[in-house]
Each structure stands twice: as structure tokens, then as C-alpha cells.
Amino acid sequence: QVQLVESGGGLVQPGGSLRLSCTVSVNIVELNLMTWFRADPGVERERSDLVATTTKTGATHYADKVKGRFTISRDDANKNIYLQMNNLKPEDTARYYCRVMRSGDRTEYWGQGTQVTVSS
């Protein structure tokens, strides 16, 4: 079993920045896929949109809407997966979820999410 806790959301003005954190209960080296999703109100996390993902080997992929503005990274020592979000726009407003998958395990582990609101 893997537990995840997201943090770092909040209210920010357009053009501002936030860094989301996803703290996991296992060593990150055990994970082969780490992904941030976001969901509009009323949308289940399992049906949310992919924002950014990184693999065990460090490869990354971003949704077109966030390329050049968002960066996914990891801190193995502190068991954190980050999403640095710059130049935020009102359309980035959503609940952001972290999901991980562990090597040799098909289970998807999700956090409870953190709300990001971009508004003036």
C-alpha cells in the first residue's frame, strides 16, 4: 500500500506561481510512474486530465496546455514529487491530484488532491 499527501495549493493571482508537493510513503525508487492530474469541479479524479508525468528513469511528459510553464520533479531523499507552476492562468484553476504506480504493481495510488485557484 502507498499513501500520498498533496500540499501547496491555494489562491494565486494570474501570472503567479505555486509549487505543489506530493509526499509518498515509500521510497521513490520503488515507483515507475509519477503523475500530476487536475480535475474541474464535479469531475472524479480518475477521470481527470493529465498535467505532467515523470518516469523512474527521469523522462517527463507535459500536457500541451502547461508546456513551458509547469515543471515536474522529484526529491528522492524526502520522498516528494513536485509540480512547479509558473505564469498561472485562470484556466489552471482545478483540484490537482498526484498518482503513482509502483514497479511490478498495476495498482494506481492516488492522493486526495489540493485545490489551486487562479483569480484576481
Side-chain angles (χ1 to χ4, degrees), residues 16 18 20 35-39 49-54 60-72 82-94 96 116 118:
L18 284 175
L20 305 184
T35 306
W36 285 96
F37 291 82
R38 66 186 184 188
D49 297 325
L50 184 146
V51 175
T53 191
T54 187
T60 57
H61 172 76
Y62 297 91
D64 287 343
K65 292 180 180 179
V66 307
K67 279 181 182 176
R69 300 189 296 123
F70 290 12
T71 303
I72 188 170
Y82 299 112
L83 184 67
Q84 177 67 42
M85 306 186 296
N86 297 328
N87 190 22
L88 283 160
K89 303 176 181 181
E91 51 263 44
D92 294 319
T93 295
Y96 285 71
V116 171
V118 185

